[in-house]
Amino acid sequence: MIKSILFYFFLYVWTIFLGIIFIPFLFLPHDKLYKPAYIWIKGVFFLLRVICNLTHTIKGEENISNSNARIIASKHQSAFETFLLFSIFPKAIFIHKYELFFIPIFGLYLKKISMVAINRLGKSSALKKMLNDSKKKISNGHS
């Protein structure tokens, strides 16, 4: 339990620190925000490794072609696989619940990086909007 408390404490400090330092990126085109996002994710992995002794191994990465758009459907267990997939696939976009925009600091950057949000209360109209938004992103070179 101590490790979890330490991890979350340093995660908040790291997020607030980078959130402030990277404020100028909020005024640039959204594609410029990928590099700061990678830095933040690398920091999260560093904290997981140092504090929680949690590491990961990627098997078969050589089989991943970065030349084509792809759809990845992962069984969402935690934020960990989202961070990992974002760090592996360039120009990745994710479908996320709309409520994540309301997380302080994180929500601002999530909105700026232009992921696809879905309002789960919208039912079928939300699903149609998500599909249309995803098609637009894929046609613009995202995966």
Side-chain angles (χ1 to χ4, degrees):
M1 184 161 150
I2 298 290
K3 287 182 178 185
S4 292
I5 292 169
L6 279 173
F7 169 74
Y8 280 110
F9 172 77
F10 285 109
L11 175 65
Y12 294 141
V13 169
W14 177 244
T15 302
I16 291 168
F17 174 71
L18 287 186
I20 292 168
I21 295 233
F22 291 144
I23 284 175
F25 284 89
L26 292 173
F27 299 100
L28 297 174
H30 76 274
D31 61 324
K32 302 294 183 202
L33 202 52
Y34 280 87
K35 182 75 168 173
Y38 294 133
I39 293 169
W40 179 74
I41 290 169
K42 291 223 182 268
V44 172
F45 287 153
F46 173 80
L47 293 173
L48 286 169
R49 188 178 75 248
V50 170
I51 297 170
C52 303
N53 198 29
L54 180 67
T55 61
H56 64 278
T57 303
I58 302 169
K59 295 181 181 181
E61 189 172 11
E62 67 278 1
N63 299 315
I64 299 171
S65 166
N66 284 329
S67 61
N68 298 324
R70 68 203 51 84
I71 296 175
I72 299 166
S74 64
K75 186 174 181 183
H76 191 53
Q77 298 293 313
S78 69
F80 182 80
E81 82 270 3
T82 306
F83 296 158
L84 185 63
L85 290 171
F86 188 87
S87 67
I88 292 172
F89 297 106
K91 294 187 77 177
I93 59 162
F94 291 89
I95 298 167
H96 63 86
K97 59 185 179 179
Y98 180 79
E99 293 83 4
L100 293 180
F101 286 142
F102 300 111
I103 298 174
I105 299 171
F106 180 81
L108 284 172
Y109 288 90
L110 184 64
K111 190 170 198 106
K112 177 64 179 188
I113 207 162
S114 193
M115 298 293 169
V116 176
I118 184 166
N119 184 343
R120 295 182 292 178
L121 299 176
K123 300 186 177 149
S124 64
S125 65
L127 182 60
K128 287 177 187 173
K129 181 181 181 326
M130 179 209 55
L131 290 171
N132 287 333
D133 290 350
S134 299
K135 286 178 187 176
K136 287 178 192 171
K137 299 282 184 189
I138 289 171
S139 68
N140 289 332
H142 290 84
S143 57

